[in-house]
Amino acid sequence: MKLFMLFGAVVVVGMSAAAGAATPAAEAMVPVRAFIDSFNKGDTKAAAAQTSPDGMSIIDEIAPFTWSGPKAFDTWGKALDDSDKAAGNTDALITDGKPIRVEVSADRAYVVLPAVYTFKQKDVAMRETAQMALTLQKGKTGWLITSFAWSGAKPKPVVAAAAAK
């Protein structure tokens, strides 16, 4: 009986430790969440810290629509800022949802998640539903974003977006 109780205790402790351990998919999501949180705070340095210093690829809905290489994040950020200023956009916020898909293979990961982009365009509340697809690579310092693509419908005023549901 003592042997059975000891075995049961070992199983419970082992299961508790395994439940607390981060899965590779959960680990890959850490820089994705940090990237979005930093973007929402307007902290471009913290957002950039989640990206690969070797370069990345970005596809987005603002011209020129694609960026790649070591300066991709910075040049995309400038294009986004310029586009927002020209359109009168302020108060940008990305709300992401539960990942639709997370695939991890060795030191590479692929993530797809729903996202809602809200902002004000000349003081009119706007909403854009979209999906983000990201790739990541795990290196010595952990997971870093190597690419992202934004794919969404055209933004709509919040009243129109709510009525369309």
Side-chain angles (χ1 to χ4, degrees):
M1 184 68 160
K2 288 183 183 180
L3 182 61
F4 178 73
M5 288 175 49
L6 177 61
F7 176 74
V10 168
V11 168
V12 169
V13 169
M15 288 174 61
S16 298
T23 65
E27 289 175 357
M29 285 302 300
V30 170
V32 174
R33 299 278 189 228
F35 179 85
I36 293 169
D37 290 346
S38 298
F39 176 88
N40 286 340
K41 293 174 186 171
D43 188 346
T44 57
K45 285 185 181 184
Q50 305 307 314
T51 67
S52 174
D54 297 331
M56 64 182 305
S57 297
I58 300 171
I59 298 173
D60 201 358
E61 62 194 29
I62 55 171
F65 310 112
T66 184
W67 299 262
S68 62
K71 300 282 183 193
F73 180 79
D74 294 334
T75 55
W76 165 79
K78 183 176 179 347
L80 179 62
D81 191 47
D82 291 348
S83 175
D84 282 345
K85 285 179 183 174
N89 296 346
T90 60
D91 303 329
L93 182 72
I94 297 173
T95 305
D96 61 305
K98 181 179 177 183
I100 296 166
R101 186 172 183 178
V102 179
E103 299 290 335
V104 177
S105 178
D107 66 340
R108 301 290 178 150
Y110 172 75
V111 174
V112 179
L113 59 143
V116 176
Y117 185 56
T118 56
F119 59 97
K120 289 184 182 174
Q121 186 171 53
K122 297 179 182 169
D123 293 326
V124 175
M126 302 292 286
R127 175 187 166 101
E128 176 182 346
T129 57
Q131 285 189 340
M132 286 184 78
L134 305 95
T135 60
L136 299 96
Q137 184 171 13
K138 189 173 187 179
K140 293 176 185 173
T141 62
W143 289 100
L144 293 173
I145 299 168
T146 56
S147 73
F148 75 82
W150 180 269
S151 178
K154 283 199 171 261
K156 296 179 183 172
V158 170
V159 174
K165 284 187 176 181

